[in-house]
Coordinates of all heavy atoms in Angstrom, one line a residue:
Y351 N -3.5 -10.1 7.8 CA -4.8 -9.7 7.2 C -5.9 -10.5 7.9 O -6.4 -11.4 7.4 CB -4.8 -9.9 5.7 CG -6.0 -9.5 5.0 CD1 -6.4 -8.2 4.9 CD2 -6.8 -10.4 4.3 CE1 -7.5 -7.8 4.2 CE2 -7.9 -10.0 3.6 CZ -8.3 -8.7 3.6 OH -9.4 -8.3 2.9
E352 N -6.3 -10.0 9.0 CA -7.3 -10.6 9.8 C -7.9 -9.7 10.8 O -7.4 -8.6 11.1 CB -6.7 -11.9 10.6 CG -5.7 -11.5 11.6 CD -5.0 -12.7 12.2 OE1 -5.2 -13.8 11.7 OE2 -4.2 -12.5 13.1
N353 N -9.1 -10.0 11.3 CA -9.7 -9.2 12.4 C -9.8 -7.7 12.0 O -10.3 -7.4 11.0 CB -9.1 -9.5 13.7 CG -9.0 -11.0 14.1 OD1 -10.0 -11.7 13.7 ND2 -8.0 -11.4 14.7
A354 N -9.3 -6.9 13.0 CA -9.5 -5.4 12.8 C -8.7 -4.9 11.5 O -9.2 -4.0 10.8 CB -9.0 -4.7 14.0
V355 N -7.5 -5.5 11.3 CA -6.8 -5.0 10.1 C -7.6 -5.3 8.8 O -7.7 -4.4 7.9 CB -5.4 -5.7 10.1 CG1 -4.7 -5.3 8.8 CG2 -4.6 -5.3 11.3
R356 N -8.1 -6.5 8.7 CA -8.9 -6.8 7.5 C -10.1 -5.9 7.4 O -10.4 -5.4 6.3 CB -9.3 -8.3 7.6 CG -10.2 -8.7 6.4 CD -10.6 -10.2 6.6 NE -11.3 -10.7 5.4 CZ -12.6 -10.6 5.3 NH1 -13.3 -10.0 6.3 NH2 -13.2 -11.1 4.2
A357 N -10.8 -5.7 8.5 CA -12.0 -4.8 8.5 C -11.7 -3.4 8.1 O -12.4 -2.8 7.3 CB -12.7 -4.8 9.9
V358 N -10.6 -2.8 8.6 CA -10.2 -1.5 8.2 C -9.9 -1.4 6.7 O -10.3 -0.4 6.0 CB -9.0 -1.0 9.1 CG1 -8.5 0.3 8.6 CG2 -9.4 -0.8 10.5
L359 N -9.1 -2.3 6.2 CA -8.8 -2.3 4.8 C -10.0 -2.4 3.9 O -10.2 -1.6 2.9 CB -7.8 -3.4 4.5 CG -6.4 -3.2 4.8 CD1 -5.6 -4.5 4.7 CD2 -5.7 -2.2 3.9
L360 N -11.0 -3.2 4.3 CA -12.2 -3.4 3.5 C -13.1 -2.1 3.6 O -13.7 -1.7 2.7 CB -12.9 -4.6 4.0 CG -12.3 -6.0 3.6 CD1 -13.1 -7.1 4.1 CD2 -12.2 -6.1 2.1
A361 N -13.1 -1.6 4.8 CA -13.9 -0.3 5.0 C -13.4 0.8 4.1 O -14.2 1.5 3.5 CB -13.9 0.1 6.5
H362 N -12.1 0.9 4.0 CA -11.5 2.0 3.2 C -11.7 1.6 1.7 O -12.2 2.5 0.9 CB -10.0 2.1 3.5 CG -9.3 3.0 2.6 ND1 -8.6 2.6 1.5 CD2 -9.3 4.4 2.5 CE1 -8.1 3.6 0.9 NE2 -8.5 4.7 1.5
K363 N -11.4 0.4 1.4 CA -11.4 0.0 -0.1 C -12.8 -0.2 -0.7 O -13.1 0.4 -1.7 CB -10.6 -1.3 -0.2 CG -10.4 -1.8 -1.6 CD -9.5 -3.0 -1.6 CE -9.2 -3.5 -3.0 NZ -8.2 -4.6 -3.0
E364 N -13.7 -0.9 0.0 CA -14.9 -1.3 -0.6 C -16.1 -0.4 -0.1 O -17.1 -0.2 -0.9 CB -15.3 -2.7 -0.2 CG -14.2 -3.7 -0.6 CD -14.0 -3.8 -2.2 OE1 -14.8 -3.2 -2.9 OE2 -13.0 -4.4 -2.6
R365 N -16.0 0.2 1.1 CA -17.1 1.0 1.6 C -16.9 2.5 1.5 O -17.7 3.3 1.9 CB -17.5 0.6 3.0 CG -18.0 -0.8 3.1 CD -18.8 -1.0 4.4 NE -18.0 -0.7 5.6 CZ -17.2 -1.6 6.2 NH1 -17.0 -2.8 5.7 NH2 -16.6 -1.2 7.3
G366 N -15.7 2.9 1.0 CA -15.4 4.3 0.8 C -15.2 5.1 2.0 O -15.5 6.3 2.0
E367 N -14.7 4.5 3.1 CA -14.5 5.3 4.3 C -13.1 5.9 4.2 O -12.1 5.4 4.7 CB -14.6 4.4 5.6 CG -16.0 3.8 5.7 CD -16.2 3.0 7.0 OE1 -15.4 3.3 8.0 OE2 -17.1 2.2 7.1
L368 N -13.0 7.0 3.5 CA -11.8 7.6 3.0 C -11.0 8.2 4.2 O -9.8 8.3 4.0 CB -12.0 8.7 2.0 CG -12.9 8.2 0.8 CD1 -13.0 9.3 -0.3 CD2 -12.3 7.0 0.1
G369 N -11.6 8.5 5.3 CA -10.9 9.0 6.4 C -9.9 8.0 7.0 O -9.0 8.4 7.7

Side-chain angles (χ1 to χ4, degrees):
Y351 181 64
E352 60 186 11
N353 303 325
V355 174
R356 180 179 184 274
V358 170
L359 281 168
L360 289 176
H362 174 261
K363 184 174 185 174
E364 305 297 350
R365 299 201 299 276
E367 296 187 21
L368 305 184

